[in-house]
Amino acid sequence: MMLEIHEAAKHFGGVRAVDGLSFSMNEGEVVGLLGPNGSGKTTLMNLVSGALKPTSGDILFDGVAIGGKRPDVIARAGVARTFQLVRVLPSLSILENVMVPAAFGREALWGRAAEARAEESLARVGLKVSPGKLAGDLTYIDQKRLELARALAARPRLLLLDEWLAGLNPTELQEGIALIRQLEAEGLTILLVEHIMDAVRALCPRCVVMASGSKIADGPTAEVLDQPEVVAAYLGGIDA
Ligand SMILES: Nc1ncnc2c1ncn2[C@@H]1O[C@H](COP(=O)(O)OP(=O)(O)O)[C@@H](O)[C@H]1O
Ligand SMILES: [Mg+2]
């Protein structure tokens, strides 16, 4: 198993955002993480990436416990993520935006090596804009591409995508799906939080579904989406 989550919990005061969640992922899998708003998906991403420390439970990456470790330590181990709300550095150039994570990734690249890695990552996401342009001047889809390039700059083995496809128009959505497929073909393992069901069906052979911090389903996507608990959890709660 590449990723093992054992009884992970994260409580904020009385709010049990993640409440004893367990599942595992094999290397090369693309798994959808579904659930209504507030079900704990982003919190789980934060636990895996190290942005938050679990209240209890274990998270293992390649058999090594990473739960509660610092984000840079987890990034160096080979885990990268995008944020639900895009987080590019608007006053830095596109190239500089991607050089930063290259420096803090698995290989800690500096100078020309970081620049080369940044250029490679930008090419992978198909961002066809001058790398000297300020990130703040990019269109929304290109900011999303840039954010993905930032995640890829560390050459991760596990990629966490938090609603990376949200807010794209239909043409951009198809481009985004093709791009994720390309990353899968390159061997990346991907955990994908997504509300757009067409995208989930197109990309994820397997889904894990959360409700109120707990796992309510895990299995082949078509079967999971038919389960009564899943249908009930989504009633009135999903926009797709
Ligand atoms: N930093 C935080 N402090 C307090 N409550 C939080 C925090 N982050 C998330 N929550 C709460 O945890 C629950 C799960 O949130 P979240 O993980 O963002 O859900 P999702 O991504 O599935 O929409 C929600 O009730 C949310 O309000
Ligand atoms: Mg979220």
Side-chain angles (χ1 to χ4, degrees), residues 12 15 17 36-43 84:
F12 299 105
V15 177
N37 283 333
S39 56
K41 306 178 299 294
T42 295
T43 303
Q84 186 169 353

Side-chain angles (χ1 to χ4, degrees), residues 24 42 75 136 143 149 153 159 175 178 210 229:
S24 299
T42 295
Q143 288 199 19
L159 181 62
E175 288 173 21
M210 294 179 70
E229 304 90 329

Side-chain angles (χ1 to χ4, degrees), residues 10 12-13 15-18 35-44 46 52 84 162-163 193 195 210:
K10 179 66 188 180
F12 299 105
V15 177
R16 294 166 179 253
V18 175
N37 283 333
S39 56
K41 306 178 299 294
T42 295
T43 303
L44 182 76
N46 284 331
L52 291 172
Q84 186 169 353
D162 198 351
E163 301 194 34
V193 170
H195 279 308
M210 294 179 70

Side-chain angles (χ1 to χ4, degrees), residues 66-105:
I66 57 166
K69 295 247 168 83
R70 290 203 323 257
D72 59 307
V73 173
I74 295 176
R76 285 211 167 93
V79 180
R81 58 96 57 92
T82 63
F83 291 89
Q84 186 169 353
L85 302 173
V86 172
R87 281 195 191 180
V88 300
L89 307 167
S91 58
L92 292 187
S93 74
I94 290 169
L95 193 67
E96 288 163 341
N97 260 274
V98 191
M99 285 173 72
V100 173
F104 291 100

Side-chain angles (χ1 to χ4, degrees), residues 34-167:
L34 309 183
N37 283 333
S39 56
K41 306 178 299 294
T42 295
T43 303
L44 182 76
M45 295 289 208
N46 284 331
L47 295 179
V48 175
S49 68
L52 291 172
K53 291 185 195 307
T55 305
S56 59
D58 298 312
I59 301 172
L60 287 87
F61 180 69
D62 275 341
V64 177
I66 57 166
K69 295 247 168 83
R70 290 203 323 257
D72 59 307
V73 173
I74 295 176
R76 285 211 167 93
V79 180
R81 58 96 57 92
T82 63
F83 291 89
Q84 186 169 353
L85 302 173
V86 172
R87 281 195 191 180
V88 300
L89 307 167
S91 58
L92 292 187
S93 74
I94 290 169
L95 193 67
E96 288 163 341
N97 260 274
V98 191
M99 285 173 72
V100 173
F104 291 100
R106 265 199 289 167
E107 297 141 289
L109 303 175
W110 294 97
R112 181 59 202 136
E115 208 173 295
R117 175 60 56 78
E119 285 161 356
E120 169 207 297
S121 306
L122 288 167
R124 266 173 105 181
V125 301
L127 189 57
K128 294 182 188 69
V129 180
S130 159
K133 191 168 175 171
L134 292 186
D137 293 338
L138 288 176
T139 61
Y140 184 66
I141 170 84
D142 280 346
Q143 288 199 19
K144 292 229 145 186
R145 287 184 196 275
L146 176 57
E147 200 182 50
L148 188 56
R150 283 168 57 86
L152 295 175
R155 287 219 183 125
R157 294 174 51 229
L158 173 64
L159 181 62
L160 311 172
L161 298 178
D162 198 351
E163 301 194 34
W164 186 75
L165 295 166

Side-chain angles (χ1 to χ4, degrees), residues 169-192:
N169 71 34
T171 310
E172 294 166 345
L173 181 62
Q174 290 316 311
E175 288 173 21
I177 289 172
L179 185 48
I180 295 173
R181 281 231 178 85
Q182 174 64 35
L183 298 177
E184 179 194 10
E186 291 170 16
L188 263 172
T189 306
I190 302 173
L191 181 63
L192 179 128

Side-chain angles (χ1 to χ4, degrees), residues 19-23 206 208-211 213-218:
D19 196 16
L21 186 81
S22 303
F23 72 92
R206 173 188 162 204
V208 171
V209 187
M210 294 179 70
S214 300
K215 184 174 87 173
I216 58 166
D218 181 354

